[in-house]
Amino acid sequence: MNNDLIRLSAAELGAAIRAGQTSAVEATRAYLDRIAAVDGDVNAFLHVDDEVALEQARAVDARIAAGEETGPLAGVPVAHKDVFTTKDMPTTAASKILEGWRPPYDATVTERLRDAGLVILGKTNMDEFAMGSSTENSAYGPTRNPWDLDRIPGGSSGGSSAAVAAFEAPLATGTDTGGSIRQPAAVCGLVGAKPTYGGSSRYGLIAFASSLDTPGPFARNVLDAALLHEAFSGHDPRDSTSIDAPVPPVVEAARRADVAGLRIGIVREFSGEGYQAGVLQRFNEAVELLESMGAKVVEVSCPSFTTALPAYYLIAPSECSSNLARFDAMRYGLRVGDDGTRSAEEVMSLTRAEGFGPEVKRRIILGTYALSSGYYDAYYGSAQQVRTLIKRDFDAAFEHVDVLVSPTTPTTAFPLGERTDDPMAMYLADLCTIPTNLAGNAALSVPCGLAPEDGLPVGLQIMAPALADDRTYRVGAAVEAALRDAWGGELLAKNAYAV
Amino acid sequence: MQFMSAITRDEVAHLARLSRLALHEDELDQLAAQLDVIISAVAKVQEVAKGDIPPTSHALPLTNVYRPDESRPGLSPDQALAGAPAVEDGRFRVPQILGEEE
């Protein structure tokens, strides 16, 4: 196994491949070996096909050999969340209803990874249809956190976060609907970003809640995350809600990494009861660090944020109940009970009952309830009004500050099984991340240390206005650089699966 | 005051029918209890939502756009049918949709 290659950052690996010091094939082999060695413990991947990955790598090496102008990540392997369609690999969204399904087309994000020369190693585990905060809702078994195999890797993009934390991939894709990139990044000690809504394409992304779903990157450091962000983002005419504007200068911001004169607001509502002491301690230290680097820190109140979680658990299930109606057992996916005597409607109901897991059923029923006549105004309608209030709170805050900060999650990674029978407790994992999704702006989580009481990673969340994604990278990179000096190296090197 | 549940088991059964989910009896019991807790918690939105606040259904002020109406290649019939549970004569084969009398 070539640990020297695996230890390189994505930016360094890409540079080494371009300089001819190594190749896409060698890098891909190193990571495939690593996956074979550790994924039995971690279960980050749902599908890995060595030959398909190596074939992509050979093609990239040929492009480089032919003198093609390739980007900074050409030849670098990536783990791809199983919610994006891929025509050369199965796509299941971790659901039984799509077991073995091979889509006839690539998602835009998939296509752009290929165009940038990234090598897709395989598809990562997730909560079924991206509904969950622990990856325990996967129909194919839970993923484990490399920091402690008895704990959750976060969710819904938990396979992606675990893969990067266990050095099974230098980069991974995710999707963030209520925190599904930032929360797993935080609890696995990684960088994860939720781009501005509409900044990355939803075409070919299996829909959960269409007004919230946002593809974004995972990486071991801020610059790598920015490079991946840049590689797959930008306007897509095939997505009706894609923004026709240039990708914010995230790579430049990650390299700049200074916060002198920047105005930073601490969200007062994301503190106190329900927050782990060690999480708040590391968060406060990070804020002091930013202040010592020349940022101007003030406290900001966003009173509507306390109602974001209830609003989200009406809006997201409502959209999901509509989106998942497409799984009807007729054109693709599972079909159960078609014995020649049953009607299409009976076959549909049996298939959906068998193909969907408990959390997906719970959200379909909840969404159907919230959209029912008689309840619509009280639930869905009120939730949409709360969404307006949250946007107003952000707008008011960003008149005085450049970014807002909070802990990414109230607690560190919790033990597997702890919250599976208590949906409301599970939902609380997304308490701090949800407002950004409801308002559609940009946010990033960067590691800010280990909680003293359990030795597990804590994430600092940085929130910026829509299309100001670069500010989150700038602040994240500054925190990362300062903490790297303080720790004497990478935080991730302290986890059990570091190489 | 007697505790009023936000959602009953019969309501869950009705919603399951609307959602085309053939749920088992024990699933209905479990869901009714869980949804009761969840709905009581999310009902908090009603306390802050006031009449004069406009709703937001979407984060961006986008209007719909149309691409030029030009023909371009799509999926072949074989590609479109490749993932189908059942195929007959180059078409999706589905269970009976209309009643016998129709």
Side-chain angles (χ1 to χ4, degrees), chain A residues 151-280:
Chain A
R151 289 179 187 260
I152 59 108
S156 67
S157 314
S160 288
S161 63
V164 176
F167 289 78
E168 295 175 78
L171 299 168
T173 61
T175 54
D176 194 311
T177 303
S180 284
I181 292 173
R182 288 161 288 159
Q183 182 257 2
V187 301
C188 285
L190 305 175
V191 178
K194 185 209 99 67
T196 297
Y197 177 83
S200 50
S201 170
R202 294 184 296 106
Y203 179 77
L205 158 63
I206 297 173
F208 157 23
S210 304
S211 81
L212 305 166
D213 297 341
T214 314
F218 283 98
R220 290 181 213 140
N221 65 70
V222 176
L223 177 61
D224 285 358
L227 289 167
L228 184 58
H229 182 136
E230 195 175 69
F232 66 62
S233 301
H235 183 238
D236 179 11
R238 292 180 295 188
D239 173 355
S240 63
T241 58
S242 172
I243 302 173
D244 193 0
V247 180
V250 291
V251 173
E252 189 192 317
R255 291 212 166 96
R256 182 171 170 193
D258 86 279
V259 292
L262 212 67
R263 298 165 304 165
I264 295 178
I266 301 173
V267 181
R268 183 184 299 156
E269 284 73 15
F270 288 153
S271 190
E273 205 187 325
Y275 286 79
Q276 190 178 322
V279 168
L280 291 179

Side-chain angles (χ1 to χ4, degrees), chain A residues 216-468:
Chain A
F218 283 98
R220 290 181 213 140
N221 65 70
V222 176
L223 177 61
D224 285 358
L227 289 167
L228 184 58
H229 182 136
E230 195 175 69
F232 66 62
S233 301
H235 183 238
D236 179 11
R238 292 180 295 188
D239 173 355
S240 63
T241 58
S242 172
I243 302 173
D244 193 0
V247 180
V250 291
V251 173
E252 189 192 317
R255 291 212 166 96
R256 182 171 170 193
D258 86 279
V259 292
L262 212 67
R263 298 165 304 165
I264 295 178
I266 301 173
V267 181
R268 183 184 299 156
E269 284 73 15
F270 288 153
S271 190
E273 205 187 325
Y275 286 79
Q276 190 178 322
V279 168
L280 291 179
Q281 185 186 330
R282 294 304 181 223
F283 169 71
N284 290 330
E285 288 167 6
V287 171
E288 283 166 26
L289 193 64
L290 286 165
E291 213 161 9
S292 75
M293 289 187 286
K296 188 171 174 292
V297 177
V298 293
E299 198 173 89
V300 171
S301 179
C302 297
S304 302
F305 284 13
T306 55
T307 328
L309 186 84
Y312 175 84
Y313 278 99
L314 288 163
I315 291 168
S318 294
E319 294 190 21
C320 119
S321 69
S322 167
N323 270 326
L324 269 59
R326 64 167 60 87
F327 298 102
D328 58 6
M330 299 299 138
R331 294 151 300 153
Y332 56 99
L334 185 70
R335 181 183 291 180
V336 170
D338 184 12
D339 59 2
T341 70
R342 291 195 176 96
S343 70
E345 195 176 312
E346 287 169 320
V347 169
M348 204 180 288
S349 300
L350 287 169
T351 302
R352 288 163 61 83
E354 179 139 340
F356 292 141
E359 179 65 20
V360 173
K361 290 178 188 170
R362 196 148 49 226
R363 294 203 195 184
I364 290 173
I365 301 272
L366 178 59
T368 306
Y369 175 81
L371 294 175
S372 311
S373 68
Y375 296 115
Y376 182 95
D377 288 339
Y379 291 108
Y380 188 66
S382 298
Q384 288 190 311
Q385 290 181 304
V386 170
R387 201 167 175 181
T388 304
L389 295 176
I390 288 163
K391 270 180 85 79
R392 285 179 183 170
D393 276 0
F394 269 120
D395 289 346
F398 288 134
E399 276 180 28
H400 306 289
V401 297
D402 301 302
V403 295
L404 290 168
V405 292
S406 77
T408 307
T409 57
T411 69
T412 56
F414 46 88
L416 284 162
E418 188 186 83
R419 302 188 188 181
T420 41
D421 294 328
D422 187 350
M424 274 317 294
M426 186 71 87
Y427 297 168
L428 284 173
D430 293 333
L431 191 63
C432 311
T433 46
I434 282 172
T436 304
N437 296 85
L438 291 174
N441 51 350
L444 173 141
S445 180
V446 64
C448 65
L450 304 178
E453 59 268 54
D454 54 22
L456 293 167
V458 176
L460 168 72
Q461 178 179 227
I462 304 145
M463 297 166 271
L467 290 176

